[in-house]
Amino acid sequence: MLAIRRLIASQSLLPGDKLPSIRKLAREKAVSPSTVVEAYDRLAAEGLIRPRAGSGFYVAAGAPPGRAGDTHAPLDRAVDPFWVSRQSLDAGRETLRPGCGWLPPAWMPLAAIRRALRATAKTADATLVEYGSTRGSPALRRLLVRPFAAEGIEAGPEDVLLTSSGTQAIDLICRHLLRPGDAVLVDDPCYFNFRALLQAHAVRIVGVPYTPSGPDISRFEEALALHRPRLYLTNAALHNPTGASLSPRAAHQLLAAAAAHDLTIVEDEIFADFEPERSVRLAALDGLNRVIRVGSFSKTLSASIRCGYIAARPDLAEALVDLQLATGFGGPSPLAAELVFRTLSDGSYYRHLSSLQGRLTRRRREAIAALATCDVHPWTLPRGGFYLWCRLPRATDASELAQRGLREGMVLAPGNVFSVSRTAADFMRFNVTQMPSEVLAFLRRALG
Amino acid sequence: MLAIRRLIASQSLLPGDKLPSIRKLAREKAVSPSTVVEAYDRLAAEGLIRPRAGSGFYVAAGAPPGRAGDTHAPLDRAVDPFWVSRQSLDAGRETLRPGCGWLPPAWMPLAAIRRALRATAKTADATLVEYGSTRGSPALRRLLVRPFAAEGIEAGPEDVLLTSSGTQAIDLICRHLLRPGDAVLVDDPCYFNFRALLQAHAVRIVGVPYTPSGPDISRFEEALALHRPRLYLTNAALHNPTGASLSPRAAHQLLAAAAAHDLTIVEDEIFADFEPERSVRLAALDGLNRVIRVGSFSKTLSASIRCGYIAARPDLAEALVDLQLATGFGGPSPLAAELVFRTLSDGSYYRHLSSLQGRLTRRRREAIAALATCDVHPWTLPRGGFYLWCRLPRATDASELAQRGLREGMVLAPGNVFSVSRTAADFMRFNVTQMPSEVLAFLRRALG
């Protein structure tokens, strides 16, 4: 299908030209005739080609020339906080993505999702077509708070608000709590999209150096005193990009400092389900008083089923419901919530997590060994997940390496896109599940 | 299932209590045993009840008491721009909703959606689990621009950005273009959520009186000169709440005035597909120069499949991609886009529209006749859609009537939630598809 599309876009096939017969194309491409039929039907549905009774398919008049497939992010775009996401999301299928922030499809619970889709095809009419309630699916919210109770967090389903992603959850909280010019603390390094998001709020972003057991507490306290930040935005467990988890002592000190300065903390659970052994949670120590919990299923279940959540104090939850209504109407898709609910409630999500954790532990070990042959070493050893935050040898400039990688068909994640202070020029974040031998061959060549 | 839930919530069933056997409950409720099995499985998945091998189901320890089902919006909430949406969205199933802004499930293309879900269960792995490209599904975007070409709007798929709803599309545009304190023009009356959304942006909302052929042009020009607004936000066709459509003359004058004052216009297509005969479009006259087109499938296909879109000038589209990435990561669900694509591309969406239009025309006629018996009359006769904007007899206060309606189990949409100037106190918006005889009986009683 892509091939036909390209031929039309490049004007090798012009309006009125006849397409190869189904039988011929199936033979040429070594696919089944039904695959070709489906592809032709799809192109016809898009108006690119037209069937003529008894005579096959022809290129339609007005088929748009000059543009094949997706719009790729331009090669020469500056390496800013958007760089990694745009290059990764808009990359062609042939691009390698050792810098991207998600697992390859084959690592995801595909069978469970297909099963959930088939089951949802039989669900109640209202779930398929109505907006749903303002906080999102009651069934999913009831399910989400069960493990909270086991952690000692007393939150009911009404304290949870579903959103369309973890990022949107954080954005909603920022819209409610922040005003332009406010100061916000983030870890240095931190997830690059936290910076992009906070820039969209026109706030002052203050970085606190991150250590293998959490933010540097004395620098954190200094920043509180100096900048009077309104919010601290951080990951719960398996910090992005370092893979580090907070120590109990750091968690306690951090909350004490936050209380002294009336700081609100957003703790993002996005990678937490990758932890084979659970680390400490700010939300559990604090009990959703000044901590807001956000999370999503994009990394562990599906990024295509957009569904995130916020658990917060009742007054905050109530205000966020209004804000989500005003800015997105309704909010979380009842259909998306139903799909998540089904994979969680039939146990397939938890079985998937358990096998995933083991597989990732092996894969991290292999990647560490392979990277060591290029003299690339992790800054800390993560207890789970798929990231390795590595220092490059001989102070190699990671941005230059990433630009070179892009020219050679791979998206890398250079250190400074994560660093507010831009002090991570010789760091690179690697995704251990997206490192075929070509990536290592490139590194050997480039760093050798 | 709801009955069991209520018994647990009200503590009529306590932790450890045995539930009725599947056979017994099925007989009592006159449902099939498999329905009860499914309901029990679901309650067990939520942790409310626990199976014991060979002995049936029991109420679980720690089942949360005191809260049954959804959180309803409080009865005593002020009648503000959020009032109608929160009451409608969080209403129980038994509540009547003549004031709500959507069709009942039975009016929606349920079979087509169920078919699309089954087909999507077989789709490519990446569509099920990956983020998708930054602008959203290329296949759906190619499909969306086909009718644009027929209107004379030269826009390619790369000029379209998918979003998770029409409201989110407008919100994204507002975030990009507006700063706190800017003036924004809306119609008076206008969709109440435009007001809620603009309030979230802390802008000055300026209403322009709406006539049956569009905004009052001389008042529109006055407002431009006086307030120097950055944006005008309006509906394309079948204006909410009045059901009026713009006349060609008003459209032309409006664009001329906009050009003289460098005004950007957001034209929201949300109800446009309900028009049996197409009215004029600002986007078509202007060619996406200063007009931005937004739309969604929430009213005509499904509000549960969250999918909206923006078509805009390339510079705007590019900036909005970054903003959507920063604030929602990715954005539109590839899965939602796939479901919309399938119902559009197999023709079922267009067949549904055509039968819907005929059915709505009949239903509007019936509702007009029925309301006339209560001395309630439409302000204008819409050419399509499901709204009637009606004046109440003897200057009845619509908000008081709505509060009384709520106490009697129905959500109404009183005029002033739509009016910036609050000059619609004796108007009410009715949804002709949500008007069973109980609604008319209530109106007769209350207005008689």
Side-chain angles (χ1 to χ4, degrees), chain B residues 372-401:
Chain B
T373 65
C374 311
D375 201 17
V376 172
H377 304 282
W379 176 78
T380 188
L381 290 177
R383 48 201 281 167
F386 51 80
Y387 290 139
L388 292 175
W389 176 243
C390 298
R391 193 187 287 275
L392 300 177
R394 294 174 303 285
T396 304
D397 185 293
S399 290
E400 280 175 22
L401 188 63

Side-chain angles (χ1 to χ4, degrees), chain A residues 1 5 38 42 45-48 50 60-64 67-71 74 77 80 82 85-86 89-90 93 97 101-106 108-110 113-114 117-118 120-135 137-139 141-143 146 156-159 164-165 167-169 171 175 180 191-193 196-197 200-201 270 298-299 301-306 318 321-323 325-336 338-339 341-342 345-346 434, chain B residues 1 5 38 42 45-48 50 60-64 67-71 74 77 80 82 85-86 89-90 93 97 101-106 108-110 113-115 117-118 120-135 137-139 141-143 146 156-159 164-165 167-169 171 175 180 191-193 196-197 200-201 270 298-299 301-306 318 321-323 325-336 338-339 341-342 345-346 434:
Chain A
M1 188 166 79
R5 217 189 273 296
E38 200 188 311
R42 198 148 173 150
E46 294 173 31
L48 275 177
R50 293 249 179 274
R67 278 150 174 166
D70 293 5
T71 315
R77 201 184 154 108
D80 62 16
F82 291 105
S85 26
R86 292 206 54 167
L89 292 168
D90 288 334
R93 284 202 193 146
R97 297 187 271 195
W102 56 88
L103 296 172
M108 303 298 270
L110 291 160
I113 294 169
R114 293 185 197 281
L117 278 164
R118 287 193 301 271
T120 300
K122 296 179 208 154
T123 201
D125 293 353
T127 306
L128 295 182
V129 295
E130 288 209 309
Y131 283 97
S133 63
T134 54
R135 280 172 167 76
S137 159
R141 287 185 285 119
R142 278 191 292 268
L143 209 55
R146 299 292 298 177
E158 67 288 350
D159 302 319
S164 56
S165 71
T167 304
Q168 192 240 326
D171 184 53
R175 287 181 88 155
Y191 173 38
F192 50 75
N193 206 58
L197 187 151
H201 287 274
I270 185 119
S298 295
K299 306 299 181 185
L301 176 63
S302 163
S304 178
I305 305 171
R306 307 299 286 153
E318 184 68 15
V321 167
D322 274 358
L323 189 56
L325 207 51
T327 60
F329 206 74
S333 156
L335 201 74
E338 179 73 13
L339 292 169
F341 175 83
R342 282 180 187 272
S345 65
D346 74 4
Q434 306 261 14
Chain B
M1 189 166 80
R5 216 190 274 296
E38 200 188 311
R42 197 149 175 150
E46 293 173 32
L48 275 177
R50 293 248 179 273
R67 279 151 173 163
D70 292 6
T71 316
R77 200 183 155 107
D80 62 17
F82 289 105
S85 26
R86 293 206 54 166
L89 293 167
D90 288 334
R93 284 203 193 144
R97 298 187 270 195
W102 55 89
L103 296 172
M108 303 299 269
L110 291 160
I113 294 168
R114 294 186 196 281
R115 202 161 51 236
L117 278 164
R118 286 193 301 270
T120 300
K122 296 180 209 155
T123 201
D125 293 354
T127 307
L128 295 183
V129 296
E130 287 210 310
Y131 283 97
S133 64
T134 55
R135 280 173 168 76
S137 158
R141 287 184 287 119
R142 279 192 291 267
L143 209 55
R146 298 293 298 178
E158 66 289 349
D159 303 319
S164 56
S165 71
T167 305
Q168 192 240 326
D171 184 53
R175 288 180 87 154
Y191 173 37
F192 49 76
N193 206 57
L197 187 151
H201 287 272
I270 186 119
S298 295
K299 306 299 181 187
L301 177 61
S302 163
S304 178
I305 304 171
R306 307 299 286 154
E318 185 67 15
V321 167
D322 274 357
L323 189 56
L325 207 50
T327 59
F329 206 73
S333 157
L335 200 75
E338 179 73 13
L339 292 169
F341 175 83
R342 282 180 185 272
S345 65
D346 74 4
Q434 306 261 15

Side-chain angles (χ1 to χ4, degrees), chain A residues 242-260:
Chain A
T242 65
S245 293
L246 204 59
S247 72
R249 187 171 149 76
H252 171 68
Q253 290 179 326
L254 215 151
L255 280 173

Side-chain angles (χ1 to χ4, degrees), chain A residues 273-336:
Chain A
D273 278 350
F274 285 111
E275 266 196 332
E277 281 175 77
R278 207 171 165 75
S279 60
V280 69
R281 290 290 185 284
L282 295 171
L285 295 192
D286 170 73
L288 294 186
N289 174 31
R290 62 179 61 259
V291 176
I292 303 173
R293 164 171 285 189
V294 308
S296 98
F297 301 92
S298 295
K299 306 299 181 185
T300 44
L301 176 63
S302 163
S304 178
I305 305 171
R306 307 299 286 153
C307 186
Y309 64 86
I310 299 171
R313 244 182 14 226
D315 60 319
L316 275 171
E318 184 68 15
L320 294 172
V321 167
D322 274 358
L323 189 56
Q324 173 151 270
L325 207 51
T327 60
F329 206 74
S333 156
L335 201 74

